[in-house]
Amino acid sequence: MKLNIAIDGPSGAGKSTISDILAERLEYVHLDTGAMYRSVAYTATQKGLQMDEEDKIVKMIEEEMDLKMNSDGTIICNGEDISNKIRTNEMSMAASNVSKLKGVRTALVAMQQKIASEGGYIVDGRDICEVVLPNAEVKIFLTASAEDRARRRLAQNQEKGISGTYEEILEDIKKRDYQDSHRENSPLRQTEDAVAIDSSNMSIVEVVDEIMKLVAEKQK
Ligand code: DC
């Protein structure tokens, strides 16, 4: 039986890496919802829109965005490969800003629910347990200290050739944590039915194994 696995948590807790490994082990598909908010922010920026122009951005999503989230992790928007372009610090903050807008959330949540409707998805984000997949069989709230997350993000960025110092990344993480958990619409918070995992002192494999155990229990 294919389940749905919902993983929420702050930026840099390892959600994407862990979801990718789980997807491979379980032969499920990873849906990175953060990449969807990032793609909206990137496309809006390209069109010269400000991140608070809600009506124009919602119209853009509905009428002018052909977004393909490929299973190999590449993201193609209107024929352009934007996989790396959406990962800059600037786009992180723009995505956090655009994700505050109710209309944007409504449009993206509907797309995410449609994609995951048949099961077999690992969906990661901020509002997955509460809003996108309230009936997901496995729910995880993945955290780590801001310092650990900044260190990991720096290593990832260096691998991808994205510039920025540790201090800049830490400041960005703290700012986004605050913004993502204090916004009016679907703030990041742990639901009662989610299992909390603090990955600060855990390896990626340990986190994956813990989630695999929860999946196995549900599959019994
Ligand atoms: O996971 P990420 O860092 O790629 O997400 C980028 C931003 O998008 C993040 O700051 C908050 C927002 N986001 C959201 O509001 N809801 C989601 N389900 C996923 C991301």
Side-chain angles (χ1 to χ4, degrees):
M1 181 179 69
K2 289 207 168 185
L3 317 174
N4 271 331
I5 303 172
I7 306 183
D8 284 324
S11 144
K15 299 187 302 288
S16 258
T17 310
I18 283 155
S19 300
D20 279 339
I21 300 172
L22 284 169
E24 210 177 300
R25 283 218 207 160
L26 291 161
E27 294 187 12
Y28 280 20
V29 179
H30 170 207
L31 177 63
D32 175 354
T33 63
M36 296 172 79
Y37 289 92
R38 286 171 183 269
S39 301
V40 169
Y42 176 80
T43 311
T45 305
Q46 293 294 98
K47 290 186 182 292
L49 298 176
Q50 299 300 314
M51 293 308 124
D52 57 358
E53 293 188 273
E54 181 160 7
D55 292 347
K56 288 186 185 165
I57 296 177
V58 171
K59 192 164 181 277
M60 176 197 86
I61 296 172
E62 284 165 357
E63 296 173 11
E64 297 166 49
M65 260 185 91
D66 175 26
L67 187 64
K68 287 196 182 74
M69 313 276 297
N70 294 330
S71 54
D72 65 358
T74 54
I75 295 153
I76 312 293
C77 188
N78 298 336
E80 182 189 359
D81 185 343
I82 59 169
S83 319
N84 288 333
K85 293 177 181 155
I86 60 170
R87 299 289 164 196
T88 61
N89 285 345
E90 191 195 344
M91 280 308 123
S92 299
M93 200 34 94
S96 180
N97 288 334
V98 89
S99 74
K100 289 187 210 162
L101 307 176
K102 197 164 193 251
V104 169
R105 303 204 68 84
T106 305
L108 294 192
V109 167
M111 283 185 207
Q112 293 154 10
Q113 289 175 330
K114 195 167 166 213
I115 294 171
S117 62
E118 288 182 4
Y121 278 83
I122 298 145
V123 185
D124 86 283
R126 305 291 189 289
D127 59 341
I128 313 304
C129 297
E130 191 166 356
V131 181
V132 179
L133 299 175
N135 298 322
E137 287 82 358
V138 177
K139 293 185 177 182
I140 309 291
F141 191 79
L142 188 66
T143 55
S145 71
E147 288 73 17
D148 268 303
R149 289 185 279 133
R151 266 190 292 278
R152 290 181 201 163
R153 178 68 29 106
L154 179 67
Q156 269 176 5
N157 284 1
Q158 284 171 341
E159 247 174 54
K160 290 182 186 160
I162 298 170
S163 62
T165 64
Y166 169 79
E167 286 73 21
E168 280 165 356
I169 295 172
L170 181 62
E171 195 189 321
D172 166 77
I173 280 183
K174 286 185 174 167
K175 208 161 142 195
R176 277 209 292 148
D177 277 1
Y178 185 86
Q179 191 158 293
D180 293 344
S181 49
H182 288 82
R183 65 181 178 218
E184 198 183 327
N185 301 308
S186 309
L188 169 69
R189 62 180 166 219
Q190 186 188 338
T191 56
E192 268 180 24
D193 54 359
V195 176
I197 300 178
D198 183 342
S199 70
S200 302
N201 296 311
M202 289 171 85
S203 68
I204 288 167
V205 176
E206 284 170 332
V207 176
V208 170
D209 285 346
E210 185 137 347
I211 299 174
M212 287 296 284
K213 269 190 228 155
L214 296 169
V215 174
E217 272 168 32
K218 288 285 173 185
Q219 280 174 328
K220 266 186 205 158

